[in-house]
């Protein structure tokens, strides 16, 4: 069975019932879940956690039997740093969050597909990963 890393923006669209993205994100997550293991990592967990007051409430949404929780590989940290450096050299602003690069690197070194609604940076800096995103 394949593995798909679920970007926090997809999860937050569903949790916040985002009027623009709820339908796409919910449908895409449901479709991916039919044939893939759903994976999150500590960065995704942290980004989603801002919507919750208590860890128990967050864990009640990101259930262990629904989302596999993977650690962040050291090799992904190295790749994230290299891609972020390239991004900066090409004029990318400092305000761009390093976590996006780490999420892309995690998918790349783990051989995972990435489900996100913001694919541009991932496709640019991590061309080897399969990205599922709105057209």
């Amino acid at each position: 069975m394949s593995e798909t890393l679920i970007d926090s923006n997809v999860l937050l669209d569903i949790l916040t019932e985002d009027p623009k993205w709820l339908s796409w994100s919910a449908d895409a997550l449901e479709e991916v879940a039919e044939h893939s293991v759903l994976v999150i990592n500590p960065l995704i967990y942290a980004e989603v956690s801002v919507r919750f007051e208590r860890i128990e409430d967050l864990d009640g949404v990101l259930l262990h039997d629904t989302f596999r929780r993977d650690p962040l590989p050291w090799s992904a940290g190295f790749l994230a740093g290299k891609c972020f450096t390239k991004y900066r050299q090409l004029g990318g602003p400092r305000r761009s969050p390093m976590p996006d690069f780490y999420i892309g690197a995690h998918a790349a070194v783990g051989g995972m597909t990435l489900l996100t609604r913001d694919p541009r940076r991932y496709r640019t800096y991590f061309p080897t990963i399969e990205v599922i995103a709105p057209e």
Side-chain angles (χ1 to χ4, degrees):
M1 188 173 239
S2 66
E3 301 169 331
T4 302
L5 190 61
I6 311 302
D7 199 356
S8 55
N9 55 34
V10 171
L11 297 170
L12 289 167
D13 289 344
I14 296 166
L15 294 171
T16 63
E17 299 181 356
D18 184 275
K20 181 175 181 182
W21 291 107
L22 172 61
S23 180
W24 183 89
S25 292
D27 291 347
L29 184 64
E30 184 178 338
E31 184 176 327
V32 166
E34 291 178 12
H35 59 80
S36 186
V37 175
L38 305 179
V39 181
I40 60 172
N41 64 33
L43 290 171
I44 294 164
Y45 185 88
E47 289 178 336
V48 174
S49 76
V50 301
R51 304 298 296 180
F52 295 86
E53 292 295 320
R54 299 174 341 114
I55 193 170
E56 295 83 4
D57 297 333
L58 175 59
D59 287 341
V61 171
L62 298 177
L63 299 170
H64 285 275
D65 57 347
T66 303
F67 296 95
R68 189 179 79 199
R69 296 175 183 203
D70 281 5
L72 291 165
W74 291 100
S75 56
F78 183 82
L79 179 57
K82 293 301 172 198
C83 290
F84 186 75
T85 298
K86 182 177 178 182
Y87 167 81
R88 290 289 300 129
Q89 289 170 343
L90 293 173
R94 285 192 198 279
R95 67 177 179 18
S96 176
M98 176 70 108
D100 287 351
F101 287 92
Y102 216 143
I103 288 167
H106 187 191
V109 302
M112 292 183 272
T113 299
L114 178 64
L115 175 62
T116 183
R117 69 167 159 76
D118 187 19
R120 194 181 92 219
R121 185 173 299 130
Y122 297 117
R123 287 184 174 145
T124 299
Y125 294 95
F126 304 98
T128 62
I129 64 173
E130 179 184 347
V131 176
I132 300 170
E135 294 302 320

